[in-house]
Amino acid sequence: MRMLRRPLRLFRRLRALLGRPRRERELEDEVAFHLEMLVEENLRAGMSPAEARLAARRAFGGVDQVKEECRDARGGRFVEWLLQDVRFGWRVLRRSPGFTLVAVLTLALGIGANAAMFGVVHAVLLKPLPFDRPDQLVAINTTRPGVPLDWVSAPDLRDWRSSRSLGQIAGYASQSVNFTGRAEPMRVVGMFVTTNFFATLGVRPSSGRDFVAGEDEPGAARVAILGRSAWQTIFGGDPAIVGKTLTFNGQPFTVVGIMPAGLPPWFDADVYLPMCDYPNFSLDRAKPSAAVVGRLRDGVTLAEAQAELTTVARQLAQHYPATNRDRGVVLRPLADVLVEDVRSSLLLLLGAVGLVLLIACANVSNLLLSRAASRQRELAVRTALGAGRRRLVRQLLTESLLLWGLGALAGLGLAGPAVELLVGSPFVDAGTAVPVTDRAVLGFTLGLSLVTGLVFGLLPALQTARVDLHAVIKESGRTMSGARGRRRVQSLLVVAQVALAVILVTGAGLVTRSLMRLNAVDPGFGADHLLTLEYRLPRNKYPKGDEQWNFHKRVVERVQALAGVRSAAVVRALPFSGNAAGCAFVLTDRAPPPAGQEPHAELNVAHPRYFETMEIPILRGRGIGDEDGADAPPVVVINRAMAQRYWPDGDPIGKTLELRGAILDGGERRVTIVGVVGDIKHGALDDPTEPQIYTPQAQLPFIFATLVVRTEIEPMALADEVRRAVWSVDPEQPVWKVRTMESLLSRSLRPRSLTALLLGIYSGVALLLAALGIYGVIAYVVSQRTNEIGIRMALGAPARQIVRAVVAQGLALAAWGLGVGCVGTVLLGRIVRSQLFGVSAADPLTFAGVLGLLAVVALLASWIPARRATRIDPASALRAD
Amino acid sequence: MAADGKTDLLQGTLDLLILKTLVRGEMHGFGIARRILQLSDSVLDVQQGSLYPALHRLEDEGYIAASWAPSENNRRAKFYRLTAPGKRQLTAESKSWERMAAAITRVLRTS
């Protein structure tokens, strides 16, 4: 106590200084009043005023000392008791290290998982974008029938600039850029931007200058701004790079600035170039070519800006009906757009770890309750020595909070490495900082621990502190009153645990089943033994279509000649690569639909050997042939879904179509169908099958191509040779994304696999904890009924009967939990639905599986203590009481 | 706590006296001290150094409550009054004091 006195004093003085000015003033007034009364008394006794004051002072004694002792008297006990409780609690915990270890580990798991998940959610979803006033930033897209989110054409963007609600509107488009003039041709990530792009976002180059107006007009001097990481990795962080000239896409650009680190991956690039140098840049209103970000003016709401731009869109539709008649506009908060892919997954996982924590807390609560039995005597003694019930509850609660505090510490320790595992996963872009020691994450973790610790610590504390002195002493602490109440609370906790575990396990089961369903989906082509890479020809080097086609053709010839290559082809958009194109089409053998309502198809541009290389079956007619040259009649091959939709009974071969769309340079093209091939999945395995059209590459040449190679050996083993084969055609041509088709397929499943994996881990932990909960209660019940079981065995009850009775109790608990859990699952099914594929949220097979799994777990968890019950020696059981 | 030996011994007693004094109605600290002095025929002169800490402790424990009001000479003073738990405490403490006093007396008589 003596040791604590000084810090206590200090604490109180601090509190007096900081928090209690009113109380201090009152103390001052009270003492002053007393002094005055003394002075008056002395005056009445006939002293002179000076004498009276002096005498009063003397009589009162040390004013400051009195004040100090008043402060001590007030609230001091609370702190003292708290410290006493903490020290006592610490001793109690140390006395039973096994219990403490299990409880702290359980809590560390629950709290750690939550800290990690919240860290991720905070870093990805909640943290404001690292821009000036980020809530003013909006993503702007156009819409047209069938396309809810389209890009924006350069003229439309220019017309929007007069908007009153948006202060700045900037366009940007990301595309790989060939960087040459150094030892090896390189592909870098390029972003083509309007000159006000960085000003709109509210970031400035860290050295050099920003783009200035006019630099994105054709004919202006070519300037570039480097991204931070490219500046560091490619140019070694050389500050003298500003002012130098570099070659991008075959054109010289003068570097004028370097961006700072910390741009979100969405906007990060190796090099930023003016919009007019974007290869797909067009002044045609029919060709949307840029994504758009805008900044709302101060005080303007999203709805107001949306209303204004909608009006503008309507005016544009009147002025330019040919291109803008059906074009709408949609504004969304930029922060939402950047995370919309991962939001639902992350929130689902956060909810799941929340459930894990609840289960963990219930478990520790239960452990504390079980321990109450063995502490009954200690508490009775303390009650007898004068500790009130409130004092006991507070002591027990302090112990619980100590446990939760230790759990939080250990949990934070676990959360750090756990978060590292998630960075670079589909949910957290590589390079994102997810500090678990961040103030928000720490606050969340401590708050969470405190709240759960109070709730789940209070329950056992209230139960435990219900000490009936007489009963304890009379029954010599062997069996105790309050046991029934405690058992009821324990049972409730276990039912809740099982119910929560059921929800988690069912969720994990549904997501896993969806993943299995997806894995079983046939993509429509042979995905194994395929090597792919991408390249983009510089337009100034290969300006004409036939030059581009010649390049592709020669690449295929060179690769085809390599040993170990079975077949090779180039295609414009490889499935699962993220590249895709589409077009509208009109069937010429029937009445055309109203303008603007033409059906759409995925359009791909393929080499003659594409179907063979991909192993896409030709079902009717022929594939694309070498004869389909630039001067031959234009032909297409369609997929089965399109044939069945439009010619369910007839033969599509020989029918003609009119293709329209940006990919055809806005023109129309009449083509003849020469073949039907099998359907393939293009974007994702859970895509519905849509009409697909293939045109010969010779008839629609393009600078961008994906090379796809079917190999006889492990595909990556040929990577270097294939790359060299491309360079043998042009040593200056960069190639990138050298990878296998299988890696693309598994990448498309990665978010789902990760969700399934994490949910699987969580539900495993949940099941284990629930099993421990059941075990704990049943073991406790057995210990309570030792006496009764002993008598029954003495009277000749067979062991099987006793086991059955005990196990039945465990199963009853599990059944209740299962029932509640199923109701909960049905109620929560909506949340998980977005993650499902080919499985209903009420999938009977999953539910049956969960039922079976839980039955087994409950059986095991109650069988072990039941077995122990039968080993009770009747004689000693009876004697023990 | 070295010098507190005497106060510790007196502490319970002082609390009892304060509670008893307040039975007749609310009073400020000065009044309480004077009243105890008066009732004890000037034997028990409670020092401020003990009185005020005791008052603050009793207030903190909820046995007495305080409010500010004008005093008899029209100054602002802090008046204390007995609360319900305080009344209960007084009864209990009085009983135990009487028991103890009686016991001590018995012990002293048999010598």
Side-chain angles (χ1 to χ4, degrees), chain A residues 749-760:
Chain A
L749 290 175
R750 270 184 74 201
R752 266 178 206 279
S753 324
L754 188 62
T755 306
L757 176 70
L758 289 176
L759 280 181

Side-chain angles (χ1 to χ4, degrees), chain A residues 2 5 26-27 29-30 33-34 36-38 40-41 59-61 66 69-70 73-77, chain B residues 1 28-30 34 47-49 51-53 56-57 59-61 68 71-73 75-78 80:
Chain A
R2 182 166 283 279
R5 225 174 142 68
E26 288 187 358
L27 186 55
D29 288 353
E30 192 174 20
F33 172 77
H34 194 107
E36 276 175 39
M37 294 300 281
L38 283 176
E40 262 179 41
E41 211 175 48
F60 194 92
V66 171
E69 283 190 19
C70 285
R74 199 175 268 288
R77 278 171 326 126
Chain B
M1 258 181 206
H28 48 64
F30 182 80
R34 281 293 165 270
Q47 290 304 302
Q48 290 75 12
L51 174 70
Y52 282 100
H56 282 246
R57 192 180 53 249
E59 188 191 351
D60 198 42
E61 280 166 348
W68 288 81
S71 69
E72 54 277 14
N73 58 356
R75 288 202 179 82
R76 235 169 65 84
K78 195 177 179 189
Y80 294 92

Side-chain angles (χ1 to χ4, degrees), chain A residues 771-792:
Chain A
L772 282 176
I774 296 175
Y775 170 84
V777 169
I778 299 302
Y780 177 65
V781 167
V782 168
S783 78
Q784 291 296 296
R785 290 173 55 189
T786 305
N787 194 11
E788 177 211 325
I789 293 173
I791 294 174
R792 285 171 65 178

